[in-house]
Amino acid sequence: MSPARRTAFALLWLAALLVAGWLIGQRLELSGDLRRFMPEPRTPAQKLLVDELGDGPGSRLLLIALSGAAADDLAEQSRAMVAALGANPDFEFVANGADAGLEAVPESLRPYRYLLSPALDGRRLDADYLGEQLDERLQDLGSPMAGLVEPLLPSDPTLEMLTLAEAWQPKAAPQRLHGVWFDRGGGEALLLAQTRAGGFDPTAQQRAYDAVQDAFAVAAGDSGARLGMTGPGAFSVEIGGRTAREAQWIGTIDSIALVLLLLVAYRSWRAPLLGVLPLATAGLAGLGAVALAFEAVHGITIAFGFTLIGVVQDYPIHFLSQQRAGISPRDNVRALWPALLTGVVATCIAYLTFLFSGVDGLRQLAVFTICALAAAALATRFGLPALVDPAPRDLAASPRLQALWRGIQRLPRPRWSLLLVALACVAVLATARGPFWENDLSKLTPVPADGMALDTRLRQELGAPDVRYMAVLRGANADAALAATEALHPRLDALVVEGALDGWDSAARYLPPVATQQARQRSLPEPGELRAALADAVAASPFREDAFAPFLADVERARNAAPLRPADLAGTPLAATVEGLLLDTDGGAIALVSLSGISDVQAVARTVGEGGGELMDMKVASESLVAEYRGRVLAALAVAALLLAATVWLSLRTPARVARVLLPMALTTLLILAVLRGFGVELNLFHLVALILAAGLGLDYALFFEHAGDRRDDQLRTLHAVLVCSLMTLLVFSLLALSSIPVLRAIGSTVAIGVFCNFLLALLVSRHDGAEPGEPAGPTGPGALAEGTPR
């Protein structure tokens, strides 16, 4: 093909990629929900954990602190932020302690206050009680509270609405200064906001995060105040920003290094351009496949998928390194195809097992990987030959490469030493200190220590729910669960008095069970009885009896109203609070009691158990979920190893050749585990997934050395290709190993160790010695290197 036609074909290929990228961008929907990388929960605790991680009230809380200015200025800024954020539809509520009045009780629920409030549980609404209340109202009218009390008197002379509003305030609320919440030291104004979206909705959490920042900027002005914000949503936004920044600088360095490495290796400006086309084709093929197969694609799938540059780049590099005068590009790639196809099939089989893992995120990763690798191989096989120069310089003639080859030939071939290395690895694994597996999901979160410290401190100050422990009570329906929770309230109050617990919250605080509401209805007096009692009370006061007609109407309405149920709260601010603490399930209803400031876990567990509930440890639930996930991944790895060995056997058909290809990969896997455990690294799920990628790289290196046979020039060209591939891959994953993101660090360190060990072992075990020019080459093909060949 002429240079002009090669250029036209390259431009056409590039244009097709741009169009495909635009089409995929229209279809692709990203997800940040980590539940996609969790197995389907099997136990009640696991199911509750997964639900709470994504949509529970704890996942939607933002804890906010304002500092750095005078207390009265901070209080004013706090009120301004509440006003701004309260009008934002992304928030269900925003509290700063200033809304202990009527705002806490929705207007539609005020006539039902006598069904919801416990104030009259110990006495009746009779003349004596009404007389006492009217006397207190007279005193209130002569106090600074007059402006608040006077509008309420006609409909609520007992101020039941204010009593209810105060009862609905947090049990462990912080102190109030200047009318709003402050920390114990009085230097920070505190706010609590709950978003409508779950903690793993990255788009909505970003909007909420930005809204808080904007509201603070307007409220603070040039006062010099500082904003502190924590919570799952804030952490996810900050982590996302950090990940994007690290991905940008890592990607920039990788791209520059790839271009420079290809320029140095092939001394041609065309080599980087030719290498990019299969890589871009692979990436778009993987993205397109997952975009079509799944509703939303997880960011981890894309991030991990694009690290496959370590495998995908090998295909065009091997082709370019083997091209020389005297062989057409199509003949060249046809000769490489058996080794290339074996590597692709083996790696795809390894990832194919993830399709049966039962984990949606791993299924996405499998589809992305398989389609990307297949596309890169096909692009190298059928597209790239039309673009390369058919007669470049022969890399086997490079003096530097020949000198390196002679040095390598002087290295002793490993025999029993490999067994000693394997035994040493087993010894390290057996004696390494600390747990072998990492089961704590929180350690995979790249939240800095100061961020975690701020979160812990603000939770203590605000009395926010403990994120680890939660009391769970079950019932046949929502009302039964509410009744069980209400019966537990006195026991929890006793724990608070004893100091075992700072505070608690439950749905029954806001919505009592039907039986309690009906009992309160029965205690309300008949209309005539109430009118007579009110007349007696008013007679001894300066109030007029006809001034309280709205009060009489509200009591009668409450006496005859149907009991309130969860569905009746729709459209009120209480709906979100009750829904977050009262869950409908297929087997009934679950009432949650959020706990804060637990200092005696055993006492709380014993009390909850005596009340018919269960103290659920979310840490234990998460660890059991991780262990189950790991079991599935290990099973997939075992199946993958068997299929991979079978694939290599079908390709090579000779035990000695199969052993030379599989041995470096197997020993490298053992070395990776030994190095990580030797340095005290606890292995997590992402280490396991990265092991497959490292194994795929090692398989490719060994396969191409084996494919080169006994011809010295072919071995030199293969050495050149493997050197370029391993250097580039080592750089990519070494940078990932330096990341502050634990997931990327686990992947990077695992694969970087694997690349280094795989290269050395493939060079020592799988490389043929190669005949000197002019000497007869040994046998090649399936019968090459019989058992008598020295190793």
Side-chain angles (χ1 to χ4, degrees):
M1 185 179 290
S2 66
R5 295 184 66 182
R6 289 201 298 268
T7 302
F9 181 68
L11 292 176
L12 183 62
W13 189 347
L14 181 60
L17 291 177
L18 293 175
V19 172
W22 181 83
L23 292 174
I24 292 171
Q26 302 302 306
R27 175 68 177 81
L28 187 65
E29 182 178 347
L30 295 178
S31 168
D33 193 342
L34 279 177
R35 292 175 297 176
R36 292 183 181 273
F37 274 86
M38 295 181 181
E40 182 179 352
R42 298 182 182 275
T43 67
Q46 291 176 355
K47 188 177 187 307
L48 182 62
L49 170 70
V50 172
D51 290 340
E52 288 298 300
L53 279 176
D55 301 311
S59 74
R60 294 182 281 136
L61 283 182
L62 293 177
L63 290 69
I64 303 168
L66 309 179
S67 60
D72 54 346
D73 290 338
L74 294 177
E76 190 61 34
Q77 293 169 16
S78 173
R79 283 187 283 269
M81 289 187 66
V82 168
L85 298 177
N88 190 315
D90 286 327
F91 293 91
E92 285 184 340
F93 74 81
V94 183
N96 67 347
D99 57 353
L102 295 182
E103 297 84 355
V105 185
E107 181 67 35
S108 60
L109 298 182
R110 292 181 188 180
Y112 302 92
R113 56 190 178 274
Y114 294 104
L115 305 185
L116 304 179
S117 171
L120 292 176
D121 286 352
R123 61 185 308 172
R124 287 184 56 81
L125 198 59
D126 54 18
D128 291 340
Y129 180 73
L130 289 172
E132 293 172 4
Q133 292 296 309
L134 291 179
D135 287 343
E136 292 181 9
R137 298 299 83 76
L138 283 175
Q139 297 177 20
D140 291 338
L141 291 174
S143 73
M145 291 184 61
L148 174 64
V149 171
E150 186 172 0
L152 300 178
L153 278 176
S155 62
D156 193 9
T158 63
L159 296 188
E160 202 68 31
M161 285 188 289
L162 285 179
T163 302
L164 191 60
E166 291 176 357
W168 284 349
Q169 290 300 299
K171 290 284 188 179
Q175 68 167 331
R176 285 193 185 90
L177 296 178
H178 305 285
V180 301
W181 286 334
F182 269 79
D183 69 330
R184 295 183 183 88
E188 290 182 322
L190 307 177
L191 299 91
L192 193 65
Q194 182 169 302
T195 62
R196 293 191 183 277
F200 287 126
D201 184 341
T203 303
Q205 289 296 335
Q206 181 69 62
R207 286 199 310 269
Y209 183 90
D210 292 341
V212 173
Q213 296 281 359
D214 294 342
F216 171 71
V218 173
D222 57 358
S223 65
R226 298 184 299 274
L227 171 70
M229 179 167 36
T230 68
F235 288 150
S236 68
V237 170
E238 293 171 2
I239 291 168
R242 183 186 305 176
T243 303
R245 290 192 297 271
E246 291 197 5
Q248 184 176 10
W249 72 261
I250 290 175
T252 300
I253 295 177
D254 286 345
S255 300
I256 295 174
L258 175 61
V259 171
L260 292 177
L261 183 60
L262 292 178
L263 286 174
V264 172
Y266 298 103
R267 299 183 185 179
S268 170
W269 61 269
R270 293 186 180 88
L273 298 179
L274 296 176
V276 164
L277 289 173
L279 296 182
T281 302
L284 289 175
L287 280 179
V290 291
L292 290 174
F294 300 91
E295 292 183 2
V297 183
H298 201 286
I300 291 178
T301 300
I302 296 176
F304 185 82
F306 275 107
T307 62
L308 291 172
I309 187 175
V311 177
V312 169
Q313 70 168 358
D314 291 5
Y315 307 152
I317 286 176
H318 277 289
F319 170 66
L320 294 175
S321 292
Q322 293 289 346
Q323 187 60 43
R324 71 272 187 192
I327 182 173
S328 71
R330 295 199 179 278
D331 289 340
N332 179 21
V333 77
R334 191 178 298 116
L336 285 172
W337 186 243
L340 191 150
L341 182 61
T342 302
V344 171
V345 171
T347 307
C348 287
I349 285 176
Y351 281 95
L352 187 66
T353 58
F354 285 161
L355 289 176
F356 309 99
S357 66
V359 181
D360 191 55
L362 290 184
R363 292 192 188 102
Q364 291 186 7
L365 185 59
V367 171
F368 185 103
T369 304
I370 292 169
C371 293
L373 292 179
L378 293 174
T380 302
R381 173 67 174 85
F382 298 105
L384 210 55
L387 299 178
V388 301
D389 181 0
R393 68 186 184 92
D394 188 352
L395 295 172
S398 168
R400 291 190 179 89
L401 195 62
Q402 291 178 357
L404 177 61
W405 177 261
R406 288 191 293 270
I408 292 172
Q409 283 188 311
R410 287 193 289 270
L411 295 176
R413 289 284 191 172
R415 293 176 182 271
W416 295 104
S417 57
L418 295 181
L419 178 59
L420 296 177
V421 171
L423 292 175
C425 290
V426 172
V428 170
L429 293 174
T431 59
R433 296 182 179 180
F436 192 93
W437 299 111
E438 174 57 75
N439 291 326
D440 190 350
L441 282 175
S442 66
K443 291 185 178 179
L444 296 181
T445 302
V447 179
D450 56 348
M452 292 301 297
L454 177 63
D455 185 75
T456 301
R457 184 171 62 81
L458 292 185
R459 285 185 180 277
Q460 292 174 346
E461 295 283 359
L462 284 161
D466 191 289
V467 295
R468 176 172 178 178
Y469 295 103
M470 183 174 294
V472 179
L473 298 101
R474 305 178 189 277
N477 51 46
D479 192 64
L482 287 171
T485 308
E486 185 184 57
L488 185 63
H489 287 180
R491 299 173 182 267
L492 295 175
D493 287 333
L495 287 175
V496 173
V497 173
E498 294 169 4
L501 184 68
D502 286 347
W504 56 270
D505 198 11
S506 77
R509 281 188 63 207
Y510 310 96
L511 182 65
V514 169
T516 299
Q517 296 183 52
Q518 291 175 335
R520 290 169 181 170
Q521 279 183 314
R522 290 191 294 270
S523 71
L524 294 176
E526 297 280 347
E529 181 185 353
L530 179 61
R531 189 174 291 107
L534 181 62
D536 291 344
V538 169
S541 75
F543 294 110
R544 299 195 325 268
E545 182 178 350
D546 60 354
F548 299 105
F551 165 65
L552 297 173
D554 274 1
V555 173
E556 182 61 14
R557 184 178 177 185
R559 201 174 67 84
N560 293 294
L564 288 173
R565 299 180 185 272
D568 300 321
L569 301 179
T572 71
L574 284 181
T577 302
V578 172
E579 288 171 2
L581 296 170
L582 187 63
L583 311 177
D584 284 325
T585 66
D586 295 336
I590 297 176
L592 307 178
V593 180
S594 62
L595 308 169
S596 58
I598 298 179
S599 57
D600 190 340
V601 175
Q602 293 183 349
V604 175
R606 183 170 57 252
T607 299
V608 172
E610 292 170 353
E614 174 189 3
L615 182 66
M616 193 163 290
D617 188 337
M618 293 299 179
K619 183 175 185 292
V620 172
S622 70
E623 289 178 352
S624 68
L625 195 65
V626 170
E628 185 172 340
Y629 186 8
R630 182 174 59 245
R632 295 190 185 189
V633 174
L634 287 172
L637 286 174
V639 174
L642 294 175
L643 293 176
L644 189 148
T647 303
V648 175
W649 172 263
L650 291 174
S651 175
L652 300 180
R653 304 291 183 91
T654 304
R657 301 184 73 199
V658 172
R660 285 196 296 270
V661 169
L662 293 182
L663 182 59
M665 181 186 66
L667 188 55
T668 292
T669 301
L670 198 57
L671 281 166
I672 293 172
L673 295 175
V675 170
L676 292 175
R677 291 295 298 124
F679 282 96
V681 177
E682 298 172 14
L683 304 182
N684 60 47
L685 303 172
F686 295 98
H687 287 115
L688 293 180
V689 177
L691 280 176
I692 298 181
L693 182 55
L697 291 168
L699 184 68
D700 283 351
Y701 298 164
L703 272 173
F704 279 104
F705 273 127
E706 177 65 29
H707 174 267
D710 284 351
R711 295 187 64 86
R712 179 175 178 275
D713 288 351
D714 288 341
Q715 286 285 347
L716 283 169
R717 298 183 192 104
T718 299
L719 175 63
H720 180 274
V722 173
L723 271 175
V724 175
C725 292
S726 57
L727 285 174
M728 186 61 222
T729 308
L730 187 62
L731 173 63
V732 169
F733 288 97
S734 295
L735 291 174
L736 287 180
L738 299 176
S739 170
S740 66
I741 311 297
V743 171
L744 298 181
R745 190 163 60 244
I747 294 171
S749 59
T750 302
V751 179
I753 298 171
V755 169
F756 181 76
C757 296
N758 272 318
F759 174 76
L760 288 181
L761 288 171
L763 197 64
L764 295 175
V765 175
S766 306
R767 169 188 56 83
H768 294 207
D769 286 329
E772 293 290 338
E775 295 180 6
T780 59
L785 288 178
E787 292 292 341
T789 305
R791 280 283 168 262

